[in-house]
Amino acid sequence: MRLNQFSPLASICIGILGRSQPHWSIEPACEKYHLPACERSYPVCGTDGTIYSNECMLCFANSEGPKTDVLIKSRGAC
């Protein structure tokens, strides 16, 4: 094997490590909140690209508007 050739496994590893953000999302645990009263906590980034002040506010937005399927893309700012 020459040094300038990559194995298929090496190509997969490089592809995985080269990603800037994971491509997954988390379903919010809306059942633990008493909407619309939300406690202060850490912001979350929704799959719609909006920064919500916390998971509870994302749940509240899902219950109030047309965006009823917004999930948590990441914890913290988008």
Side-chain angles (χ1 to χ4, degrees):
M1 182 195 254
R2 296 191 317 226
L3 292 177
N4 61 353
Q5 290 180 329
F6 288 104
S7 71
L9 181 57
S11 297
I12 292 170
C13 290
I14 290 170
I16 291 171
L17 294 175
R19 291 183 184 167
S20 60
Q21 289 185 324
H23 296 285
W24 51 269
S25 56
I26 303 167
E27 188 166 342
C30 297
E31 67 278 353
K32 70 181 186 179
Y33 301 109
H34 302 285
L35 299 175
C38 294
E39 298 177 6
R40 298 183 93 184
S41 61
Y42 301 104
V44 295
C45 176
T47 53
D48 62 348
T50 301
I51 300 171
Y52 294 90
S53 57
N54 53 46
E55 182 177 350
C56 179
M57 290 305 296
L58 183 146
C59 292
F60 182 69
N62 277 341
S63 71
E64 290 293 305
K67 301 177 191 177
T68 59
D69 59 346
V70 178
L71 303 175
I72 298 170
K73 182 176 181 181
S74 63
R75 304 282 177 185
C78 294

